[in-house]
Structures are given as structure tokens and as C-alpha cells.
Amino acid sequence: MTLHFAEDAPYWHREAPLDSAEAQPIPEKADVAIIGGGFTGLSCALELARLGRSVVVLEAREPGFGASTRNGGMLGWGHRADLSKLEQRYGAEAARAIMAEGPVSLAFTLGLMEREGIDCDLQHTGRFLAAASPRHFNKIRRDVETVFQPMGVACRVVEPQDQGAEISTQVYCGGAVFDAHHAVHPGKFHRGLLAAALRSGAKIASQAAVTKIEHSGERWRVRTVRGEVTAREVVFAANGYAAQFTKALKPFADTMLTLPSFLIATQRLGQNRVKALMPGGRMYVDTRSSHSYFRPSPDGERILWGGRASLTPLEEATATDRLRRHMSSVFPELADTGIDDSWTGRIAYSRDGVAQIGKLNGIWYAGGYCGSGIAMAPFQGWRLAQKIAGTAEAASPFDVTSLRGWPPSSLMPLGIRAFELWHRYKDRREGVLAPIAYR
Ligand SMILES: Cc1cc2nc3c(=O)[nH]c(=O)nc-3n(C[C@H](O)[C@H](O)[C@H](O)COP(=O)(O)OP(=O)(O)OC[C@H]3O[C@@H](n4cnc5c(N)ncnc54)[C@H](O)[C@@H]3O)c2cc1C
């Protein structure tokens, strides 16, 4: 399925615009050719170059064109699949090891930012997970007490009557705070990672969409729209954008269900008003089916609001309107607030509901972060580098996963529509206050 939707400039590009300056020539040969210049590809390139490999990152547009500079900047972790689903699929021990990779990825990425001296408006805010119904609150309590706290995750339940310290709304029914989560400016983080990769000696070739990958003797021949490179190893790091530029990545695209997510930035509200609405000053995520995630902008002057305005493509104006209504369902006083920026990006869902890593048809891959990739993508990129270099750190708890295909693209629109209706029905049955009436 090809998705078409408005791709307006993200708020983050105001202070960290994408830059084509890295349109370096494509070398004839490299040890490793990496497809995609987001967090996964750049982190893999940085580490491989430090391990002494010659590396070229081939990026279809400007580095950072994809999800890495279009996201909400909520730096934390969360697997789509919960522990019981993981246990059913992989067994208890492997499931717990996968869960534990979440906090490890966060620590890794915070360490990466520090080590490379990346200035990216990092703030230690914690995250508030807001329950949309009493049943959701009970599930959150159960998860906190039986899964996360025993794993050593710093988190606590917030009772409904104490919620006012976190957020000024009557919509939610309590929730939980995850203390270790942070806020980041993803555009600045990406720019810093790009600079680090260049410093390490990696080559970055922008405007170089890969169009064909062929095995040629001991090496791979990787063709792009502006030249080709032969490489010993090839890395797929195109995640939710795999289908956008070429059919050559189809085997990977077929394993990533790509859904749009939308964001808006309000007009300047002023720090006092933002603080009054979000006294906790955290990153916020709710459990409604038309799930919302929101936060203060790094300067505390605006609210950035993201959500699943639709599971299918939408006109930008419609998406903006829906998100504004999501926002005013939580903060009615913002119903008439101006929206200065509106943008969208593509989230890649793996069928297993957790990050994927490994080799398919001889090509290394990492991706499928299910919307939680700011910490996980750099971590998996680093891990892939260890695998390629054959270091002692090559093994990963995600090794038990394997890419699984989704139903054929001709059936996907129907499946997505059914999924959307099912979730709306579930919300209604549970009395969840719907964020919007879809028209
Ligand atoms: C709207 C939105 C909100 C999100 N919010 C959050 C959040 O708050 N917190 C969080 O943790 N995660 C969030 N995420 C997820 C996170 O942004 C991603 O998981 C992460 O950025 C993935 O990085 P990546 O490098 O794997 O992929 P991307 O950043 O998508 O990079 C893939 C790159 O591959 C390139 N490419 C594609 N095809 C080709 C080709 N043929 N040749 C060459 N290059 C190609 C693309 O141009 C693109 O630049 C969000 C995602 C979206 C879309």
C-alpha cells in the first residue's frame, strides 16, 4: 500500500532544518552500504566507522527526512506488545529479556548523546501514562506492580484523585509516572548524530535513493539514482519509508505495516498557561484507542500534540482539525487556539509488536519500532554494527524475533478500517470519552 499524505515541515525543522550539504560523492567501494539516514542508519554508520570499517550511508532525500525528525521528541521506551503476548510467542525468559531491552536502549541513547556532546534540548521530565477508563487504570496499576517495578523500572501509580499534580483535565482516570523518560529536540539530536557520524569518517550520500541491490560475487552491488557502490555488507535502515522510493526494498516493506501519525504545534501560549495545563511538565501519552501523545515545546511556550488522527491518509487540513479536537477534548480551553505547524510521519509496526533485528536474504536489517524509536533506533543501529563486525556484543535479546509479513497490500485498507472500527467500538463500550466524533 502506498500512502500519500501532506508532508509539511515539522516544527523541529525551524531550528534544525534538513541539510543537503552532505551530498558527498558515492564511493566505488565500501565495507558497508547503509540504506537510510535516520537514527538507525547513522548510529550504525558511526559505530562501524569507529570499528574501522569504511561506510557509506545512502539516503534518498536529506538525512533525517524520515521519522527521525518528524516525531514527538519523547525519549523513553515502550514495546507495542505487552509481556503476556511476548511470553506466549517467545517463552517467559526471552520475553523478560526483550522487555529489559527498553530501559537499556534509553540508557544507551542518553550515553550516546553525552559521549558525542550532542546539544539537543534534553530535559529529564519523566512520562505520564494517562488512563482513559477505570479499566485501563487497573491494567496500568497491574503492569506497574507486577511487571515494571519488579524489573527495577522507576515508576509509580498516580491515583485519580492525585492526577491534578500532573495534568489539568477531568478526562483521564489516573495513570502512572515513568521517571527515567526524557524530552528531546529530535531535529537537534539527529543533526548531532549526523555530525558525529561524519567525524568518525562515515560517508553520507544524500539524494541517493537506492533502486537496486544485486549480489555480485563476494560483494553487493547497490545502485542509486546517482551512482553505485559495491559493498561487502548491506544494511536496511529505511524503516517506515521502505516503500516510498523504490520496489527494491519490497521484502522489507512487506514486513513493516506503515501507518501515518500526525502532529501539530499550537501558537505561542506562554509558559504560565502551558504549565497550568500540564503542571507535571512531563511527556504525556494516553490509552484511548485514538491515542494521543503531547508535551510542552522545549521552550515551554507551546503544546505539541500528536495522535492517530486516522489510520489512513488524510488531507493536512483535516488532520490538523482532528488533532485540534483531540486536544480540546482534553483541554477544552484550547478549542480556539491557533495552530502554527502541522506535519506527519510514518510509523513502522512489526507483526511481533517489538523491534526487529537480523538478516533477510543476506541483508542486515533493524527496524519496526512501533512508534517508540528515538532511543531504540540508535541502540539497534549500534547493535547491528556489533553483529556486522562480529564483536562480543553482537548477541541481542531481539535475535529470537524474525520478520513476518503482513497480509497483502490489497487487503490492508480493509484490515485497517476494521481495526479502526473495532477500537472505536471498544472505547465506546468502556465509556472512554472519545476524543472526536469522526465525520
Ligand atoms: C509522527 C511520529 C511520531 C513519533 N513519536 C515518537 C516519540 O515521541 N518517541 C519515540 O521514541 N519514537 C517516536 N516515533 C518513532 C521514531 O521517530 C522512529 O522509530 C525512528 O525515528 C526510526 O528511525 P529510523 O532511522 O529507523 O527510520 P527513519 O528516520 O524513518 O529513516 C529512514 C530513512 O530511510 C530513507 N529511505 C527510504 N527508502 C530509501 C531508499 N530506497 N534509498 C535510500 N534511502 C531511503 C528515508 O528517506 C528515511 O530518511 C515517532 C514516529 C513518527 C512518524
Side-chain angles (χ1 to χ4, degrees):
M1 181 181 47
T2 310
L3 294 172
H4 296 284
F5 36 86
E7 279 169 335
D8 206 355
Y11 172 76
W12 308 116
H13 291 186
R14 291 176 179 214
E15 284 190 78
L18 298 186
D19 186 354
S20 263
E22 303 313 332
Q24 298 179 340
I26 297 171
E28 271 177 35
K29 280 188 175 181
D31 292 329
V32 186
I34 297 175
I35 307 166
F39 293 145
T40 304
L42 292 181
S43 172
C44 187
L46 168 64
E47 186 64 13
L48 280 169
R50 295 258 161 90
L51 290 167
R53 305 300 192 275
S54 61
V55 190
V56 60
V57 175
L58 304 166
E59 166 55 52
R61 301 279 293 266
E62 300 82 19
F65 170 78
S68 295
T69 71
R70 296 178 171 274
N71 55 60
M74 302 167 82
L75 176 64
W77 59 274
H79 305 298
R80 180 91 192 151
D82 64 13
L83 184 63
S84 61
K85 285 221 177 71
L86 295 175
E87 281 175 346
Q88 276 166 25
R89 185 151 182 83
Y90 305 115
E93 200 181 322
R96 291 206 175 257
I98 286 175
M99 288 298 288
E101 282 297 84
V104 172
S105 72
L106 176 56
F108 168 85
T109 297
L110 289 169
L112 172 70
M113 289 167 175
E114 193 180 348
R115 209 169 50 245
E116 302 300 332
I118 299 176
D119 179 4
C120 50
D121 298 343
L122 186 66
Q123 292 168 293
H124 191 167
T125 56
R127 183 178 298 187
F128 181 62
L129 176 61
S133 71
R135 197 179 68 87
H136 290 187
F137 177 67
N138 289 339
K139 162 119 175 58
I140 289 174
R141 182 196 292 284
R142 233 179 8 256
D143 285 348
V144 164
E145 291 173 359
T146 64
V147 179
F148 298 127
Q149 286 176 341
M151 273 170 63
V153 172
C155 57
R156 66 191 157 78
V157 170
V158 176
E159 302 291 340
Q161 65 273 18
D162 300 331
Q163 177 181 280
E166 299 297 338
I167 185 164
S168 299
T169 183
Q170 301 302 316
V171 168
Y172 300 126
C173 308
V177 165
F178 291 81
D179 293 303
H181 293 215
H182 284 62
V184 70
H185 186 306
K188 293 185 181 176
F189 174 37
H190 182 273
R191 194 171 57 182
L193 193 55
L194 177 63
L198 285 165
R199 271 198 313 272
S200 73
K203 297 206 164 13
I204 313 287
S206 59
Q207 312 299 336
V210 170
T211 52
K212 198 157 190 181
I213 310 167
E214 297 165 297
H215 217 193
S216 159
E218 291 291 284
R219 301 179 72 90
W220 293 91
R221 197 167 158 209
V222 185
R223 288 198 210 167
T224 80
V225 291
R226 63 175 184 91
E228 65 180 54
V229 55
T230 64
R232 275 183 222 290
E233 307 284 354
V234 178
V235 169
F236 166 85
N239 207 35
Y241 288 74
Q244 190 170 6
F245 302 102
T246 176
K247 290 202 168 76
L249 302 177
K250 188 168 184 320
F252 296 98
D254 287 347
T255 67
M256 308 272 166
L257 172 60
T258 301
L259 297 178
S261 190
F262 302 83
L263 279 117
I264 51 175
T266 64
Q267 66 184 81
R268 236 170 236 285
L269 301 171
Q271 292 182 354
N272 290 344
R273 201 159 166 220
V274 172
K275 188 81 186 153
L277 294 169
M278 301 178 182
R282 301 195 189 276
M283 304 290 96
Y284 297 83
V285 177
D286 78 18
T287 63
R288 297 187 288 188
S289 293
S290 296
H291 135 95
S292 293
Y293 49 97
F294 47 98
R295 55 169 289 180
S297 55
D299 61 7
E301 296 279 347
R302 305 166 190 267
I303 292 177
L304 308 186
W305 192 281
R308 198 195 275 161
S310 165
L311 289 174
T312 45
L314 267 192
E315 290 296 322
E316 192 200 340
T318 313
T320 303
D321 183 49
R322 283 192 182 176
L323 287 185
R324 189 216 302 270
R325 286 192 281 145
H326 285 202
M327 184 170 69
S328 53
S329 72
V330 175
F331 299 129
E333 52 274 68
L334 296 183
D336 298 322
T337 296
I339 305 300
D340 281 355
D341 304 78
S342 161
W343 70 100
T344 183
R346 297 163 193 221
I347 293 188
Y349 291 88
S350 66
R351 268 194 86 173
D352 290 4
V354 290
Q356 307 283 302
I357 195 165
K359 219 173 189 183
L360 178 71
N361 303 338
I363 297 176
W364 297 98
Y365 64 82
Y369 310 118
C370 305
S372 291
I374 304 179
M376 190 57 86
F379 179 58
Q380 294 290 79
W382 170 86
R383 181 76 81 188
L384 213 43
Q386 309 305 321
K387 287 183 179 297
I388 292 168
T391 74
E393 312 229 48
S396 159
F398 292 108
D399 290 342
V400 295
T401 66
S402 57
L403 285 180
R404 290 193 290 147
W406 288 89
S409 56
S410 54
L411 296 177
M412 281 315 257
L414 281 178
I416 287 173
R417 183 76 188 134
F419 180 78
E420 204 168 17
L421 289 173
W422 163 242
H423 276 284
R424 234 179 285 159
Y425 162 74
K426 272 203 329 189
D427 269 2
R428 211 166 298 140
R429 196 185 53 185
E430 252 180 73
V432 170
L433 187 59
I436 53 169
Y438 283 96
R439 285 197 280 243

